[in-house]
Amino acid sequence: MSNAELATSYAALILADDGVDITADKLQTIIKAAKLEDVEPIWTTLFAKALEGKDVKDLLLNVGSGGGTAAAAPVSGGGAAAAEDAPEAAKEEKKEEDKEESDEDMGFGLFD
């Protein structure tokens, strides 16, 4: 990561910590106050657009969560009902597998 990227990242964190909206002008102001002259305005513009409308504190708190909640199964009414549904689901999967296997026995293959 270049010095320009680091400086812009730190400036964005400072603004987020203070609860101020992150804009390219405010990022540039903080960078100039830190006496860093080699940061091009494109970096502040990119960071401002990327973080527009996002809660930076929330992003930092959820690092590594990977969206695991989206893959969670929905909660059913009771454990007994879920246990009853499991054998039916297994039967349906087995039927689908049988269909796929019968398609493979058509007498020809990919490398024949």
Side-chain angles (χ1 to χ4, degrees), residues 14 23 44 47:
I14 291 169
T23 64
T44 57
F47 273 75

Side-chain angles (χ1 to χ4, degrees), residues 7 17 21 24 29 31 35-36 38 42 47-48 52 57 67 79 83 88 95 103 105:
D17 190 46
D21 290 334
T29 302
I31 291 169
K35 298 180 183 176
L36 296 170
D38 60 337
I42 187 70
F47 273 75
E52 183 178 10
K57 290 180 182 179
E88 292 176 12
K95 288 179 185 177
D103 290 344
D105 298 331

Side-chain angles (χ1 to χ4, degrees), residues 12-94:
L13 288 173
I14 291 169
L15 290 173
D17 190 46
D18 288 341
V20 179
D21 290 334
I22 299 172
T23 64
D25 292 334
K26 291 177 184 175
L27 290 171
Q28 197 67 35
T29 302
I30 291 175
I31 291 169
K32 284 183 181 179
K35 298 180 183 176
L36 296 170
E37 302 297 328
D38 60 337
V39 178
E40 296 178 17
I42 187 70
W43 290 112
T44 57
T45 304
L46 285 173
F47 273 75
K49 285 184 180 180
L51 297 173
E52 183 178 10
K54 297 194 174 49
D55 185 14
V56 176
K57 290 180 182 179
D58 188 44
L59 289 172
L60 290 173
L61 291 175
N62 292 324
V63 171
S65 65
T69 57
V75 178
S76 63
E84 291 173 4
D85 291 340
E88 292 176 12
K91 288 179 186 176
E92 290 177 12
E93 288 178 17
K94 180 146 181 131

Side-chain angles (χ1 to χ4, degrees), residues 96-108:
E96 290 177 13
E97 289 176 11
D98 290 340
K99 286 182 182 179
E100 291 176 9
E101 289 177 11
S102 65
D103 290 344
E104 293 175 3
D105 298 331
M106 295 179 72
F108 62 90

